[in-house]
Amino acid sequence: MPSPSGSSTLSKPAPRFASIGSPYFGIMLAIMAVVLILSNIGASKGVVLGPIITDGGFFLFPIAYILGDVMSEVYGFKVARKAIITSFALSVFASLCYWIIIVLPGFNDEYGTAKQAAIEGALGPVPQIVLASLLAFLAGQTINSWILVKMKARTGEKSLWARLMGSSVVGEFVDTLIFCSIAASVIGITDAGSFLNYVLVGFVYKTAVEFLFVPVTVVVVGWIKKREPSYGAAAA
């Protein structure tokens, strides 16, 4: 209908999302939590691959971000934020369990002493890794999800690849910088050159993996959207 000034008023349609009543969200949340817990354990080990310095969780962590992208695109920012908080609550619980396992009295023979030292070496640094991940993942994933949903409000169902790539660059940079700043000393990185290598390699690697998996992420998003009976009925 023409406006009083004579020009037509065009309203932009609201972005479409799904509610979390189906089992798909629960499955993705469970995978995200497991990946995060395993990557926290792996991150306590420094890894050297030629000139590249990274940690043992490098191959796992991008999966959590890809799942975060899918949940943000399909279910919206509020639901994605709940998934982030839930994953980290479970990660903190796992870290508490590691601490209890370490302080429990063990056997005093040679095997028991060696086993205790091995457990302390493997799981002892994890609480600080969890702290690094907590701050980094909360900040990075929240920014990643927020940017993706804001871009969706502008583009609607179009340009999914641009939303995935644009949000990933910012989110991964924030995540990597915070995580490496806290976790570097735990895995034995003490000099500035190694730290810079650690940050740059982590950021480039994580972002590259997400970019390479954009076609797969797009397919997964489309598959879930078609099978979510409530898609298009929920608000962000």
Side-chain angles (χ1 to χ4, degrees):
M1 176 180 293
S3 65
S5 62
S7 60
S8 59
T9 303
L10 298 176
S11 59
K12 184 182 296 184
R16 302 165 60 194
F17 297 101
S19 64
I20 57 176
S22 75
Y24 299 113
F25 173 77
I27 293 171
M28 288 189 288
L29 174 58
I31 295 173
M32 175 184 278
V34 170
V35 165
L36 190 58
I37 291 170
L38 291 177
S39 64
N40 286 338
I41 297 173
S44 64
K45 175 181 178 178
V47 173
V48 180
L49 300 172
I52 297 174
I53 298 175
T54 183
D55 57 63
F58 77 96
F59 65 97
L60 284 167
F61 201 73
I63 300 174
Y65 260 83
I66 292 170
L67 289 170
D69 284 341
V70 175
M71 286 189 281
S72 299
E73 173 67 22
V74 177
Y75 302 100
F77 177 70
K78 293 180 181 178
V79 173
R81 185 174 57 191
K82 289 180 181 178
I84 296 167
I85 294 172
T86 302
S87 296
F88 267 97
L90 293 172
S91 186
V92 170
F93 173 71
S95 183
L96 176 62
C97 291
Y98 303 149
W99 177 77
I100 294 173
I101 291 169
I102 289 173
V103 300
L104 285 173
F107 297 125
N108 293 323
D109 58 10
E110 183 177 352
Y111 176 78
T113 302
K115 193 73 171 179
Q116 177 68 19
I119 291 176
E120 289 179 2
L123 300 181
V126 169
Q128 188 170 339
I129 297 293
V130 170
L131 174 62
S133 292
L134 178 63
L135 298 177
F137 192 72
L138 282 177
Q141 264 286 21
T142 300
I143 290 172
N144 177 77
S145 178
W146 184 82
I147 291 176
L148 190 149
V149 172
K150 285 295 182 181
M151 292 179 69
K152 185 173 182 177
R154 290 173 174 260
T155 61
E157 294 297 306
K158 299 178 180 179
S159 303
L160 174 57
W161 64 272
R163 294 196 292 276
L164 295 173
M165 297 175 74
S167 61
S168 296
V169 170
V170 181
E172 289 289 11
F173 178 76
V174 172
D175 181 288
T176 304
L177 183 62
I178 295 175
F179 178 82
C180 292
S181 298
I182 299 173
S185 61
V186 179
I187 66 173
I189 295 176
T190 55
D191 62 278
S194 296
F195 175 75
L196 184 61
N197 186 315
Y198 188 33
V199 173
L200 291 178
V201 168
F203 170 66
V204 171
Y205 166 76
K206 293 174 185 177
T207 305
V209 168
E210 286 211 53
F211 282 10
L212 288 173
F213 275 85
V214 162
V216 177
T217 307
V218 169
V219 171
V220 172
V221 166
W223 189 89
I224 294 177
K225 283 180 178 179
K226 290 179 180 179
R227 286 159 180 79
E228 274 289 7
S230 64
Y231 186 73

